[in-house]
């Protein structure tokens, strides 16, 4: 099949589609892709639109080679009171990230700090360039991570290292991030994005409903105790026997042919 690429215009992000992969590029180069409310609004609107689009199976979020994102926009928060912080729509966008059903891969190069690192951690997988640097430097601003950094970082790399990252601004190189299980793979800076898109295309070519329920089931491992998680997995597993794709997948195996997924 010929490679189909289309693009759409936004103010703070660049959106394009490549066959069954949606690609969102953070695009605030003058601010190192700092995440302000308008950027998060556009990002979430597009993620939700992709979730509803049967023509797409997986999303890649990326930044520039120099910076995935340097975090939440400090200039937006600097003078805010606690009441103003609590009322910022910014918070809702972070909550909405939890409800994206299709897999999202972060393709990270350069700075991946603060809220930028939290955004990457909220994605389902991370492909990093060799120049990627991960950190939660909020302590330097007199605050702690607020977008999931303490929780997801601790789950990803363990308590000991998470404490150093959160309390003492320890930054991880791409190789360290790979070693500690924060990222899936590391690639040269000129190919990390292509690598992430290739991974996304592979996933997008698989049985769509099973992919979404697989994502849901793995995420439950971080929410539930083992017995409840196993029960949940069993329900999702059984539910897939009501899909046409389960019949097609097993029939295709028996008939020794490739499956033709319908997403039903
Ligand atoms: N916000 C706003 N502008 C930023 C920025 C940021 N986070 N990071 C960089 N910039 C801007 C700089 O101000 C500068 O702008 P101009 O001065 O040119 O106008 C421009 O980007 C280039 O930055 P530098 O001149 O500093 O470039 P360098 O190469 O020297 O340094 C750097 C790059 C990324 C190491 C450095 O800029 C830096 O340390 N940036 C700040 C990193 C940081 O502290 N990040 C944590 C921010 S706090 C929440 C969700 C999320 C969050 C909180 C709550 N809820 C849901 C409740 C997240 C909080 C954070 O992320």
């Amino acid at each position: 099949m010929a490679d189909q690429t289309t693009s759409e215009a936004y103010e703070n992000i660049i959106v394009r589609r490549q066959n069954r992969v949606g690609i969102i590029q953070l695009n605030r180069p003058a601010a190192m892709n700092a995440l302000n409310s308008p950027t998060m609004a556009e990002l979430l609107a597009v993620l939700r639109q992709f979730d509803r689009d049967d023509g797409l199976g997986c999303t890649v979020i990326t930044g520039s080679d120099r910076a995935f994102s340097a975090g939440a926009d400090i200039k937006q928060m600097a003078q805010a009171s606690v009441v103003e912080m609590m009322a910022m729509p910014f918070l809702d966008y972070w909550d909405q990230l939890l409800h994206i059903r299709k897999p999202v891969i972060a393709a990270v190069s350069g700075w991946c700090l603060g809220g930028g690192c939290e955004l990457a951690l909220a994605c389902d997988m991370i492909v990093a360039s060799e120049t990627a640097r991960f950190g939660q430097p909020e302590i330097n601003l007199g605050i702690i991570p607020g977008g999931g950094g303490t929780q997801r970082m601790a789950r990803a790399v363990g308590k000991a290292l998470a404490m150093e990252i959160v309390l003492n601004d320890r930054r991880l190189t791409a190789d360290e991030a790979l070693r500690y299980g924060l990222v899936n793979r590391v690639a040269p800076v000129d190919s990390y994005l292509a690598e992430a898109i290739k991974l996304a295309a592979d996933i997008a070519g698989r049985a769509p409903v099973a992919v979404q329920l697989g994502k849901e089931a793995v995420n439950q491992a971080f929410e539930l105790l083992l017995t409840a998680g196993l029960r949940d997995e069993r329900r999702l597993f059984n539910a897939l026997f009501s899909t046409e794709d389960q019949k097609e997948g097993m029939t295709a195996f028996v008939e020794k042919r490739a499956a033709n997924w319908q997403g039903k």
Side-chain angles (χ1 to χ4, degrees):
M1 183 174 58
D3 202 40
Q4 296 281 327
T5 305
T6 58
S7 58
E8 300 157 37
Y10 291 83
E11 199 179 325
N12 303 292
I13 59 178
I14 297 169
V15 176
R16 62 192 171 97
R17 293 149 189 262
Q18 196 171 310
N19 300 318
R20 286 184 51 77
V21 177
I23 302 160
I24 304 173
Q25 182 182 3
L26 303 170
N27 187 36
R28 297 187 71 212
M32 296 271 172
N33 290 331
L35 301 166
N36 58 6
S37 294
T39 306
M40 290 301 290
E42 288 185 358
L43 178 65
L44 261 300
V46 174
L47 284 171
R48 295 171 76 168
Q49 180 191 319
F50 283 0
D51 249 7
R52 293 189 297 269
D53 187 335
D54 291 342
L56 295 174
C58 191
T59 301
V60 171
I61 300 178
T62 193
S64 67
D65 291 349
R66 187 169 175 219
F68 176 73
S69 167
D73 194 312
I74 299 169
K75 291 162 190 168
Q76 175 181 273
M77 294 184 292
Q79 300 306 324
S81 69
V82 62
V83 176
E84 286 164 344
M85 276 309 288
M86 287 167 65
M88 264 188 201
F90 193 67
L91 306 192
D92 301 331
Y93 302 132
W94 287 85
D95 293 342
Q96 289 169 27
L97 277 172
L98 286 173
H99 303 295
I100 299 302
R101 289 179 290 109
K102 291 179 185 168
V104 182
I105 299 173
V108 173
S109 184
W111 296 116
C112 184
L113 300 177
C117 190
E118 291 171 309
L119 174 61
L121 284 166
C123 293
D124 302 302
M125 286 168 249
I126 303 177
V127 175
S129 91
E130 288 165 345
T131 65
R133 292 290 177 277
F134 297 85
Q136 300 288 161
E138 287 89 341
I139 198 75
N140 301 331
L141 303 169
I143 57 171
I144 64 169
T150 63
Q151 303 306 295
R152 292 200 176 98
M153 187 61 84
R155 283 167 169 77
V157 304
K159 175 180 169 180
L161 186 54
M163 285 291 185
E164 267 196 79
I165 291 168
V166 171
L167 306 187
N168 204 29
D169 189 18
R170 163 89 186 266
R171 309 232 172 140
L172 300 185
T173 63
D175 283 341
E176 286 176 318
L178 183 65
R179 192 169 347 125
Y180 295 125
L182 190 69
V183 309
N184 292 70
R185 54 187 81 166
V186 177
V189 72
D190 57 6
S191 63
Y192 73 97
L193 181 55
E195 184 100 7
I197 293 171
K198 163 85 172 63
L199 177 59
D202 285 350
I203 294 168
R206 298 186 182 279
V209 184
V211 165
Q212 288 177 36
L213 295 194
K215 165 173 169 159
E216 185 179 330
V218 173
N219 277 331
Q220 290 291 57
F222 297 94
E223 305 281 348
L224 302 175
L225 294 175
L226 183 60
T227 313
L230 290 171
R231 201 180 307 128
D232 211 57
E233 179 193 83
R234 184 71 55 87
R235 287 200 191 102
L236 294 173
F237 172 82
N238 286 340
L240 284 167
F241 281 75
S242 65
T243 65
E244 290 176 22
D245 281 347
Q246 174 270 325
K247 301 289 175 291
E248 165 64 8
M250 294 192 180
T251 304
F253 175 82
V254 173
E255 293 176 356
K256 300 187 187 300
R257 60 171 174 83
N260 181 16
W261 307 121
Q262 299 298 322
K264 292 189 225 164

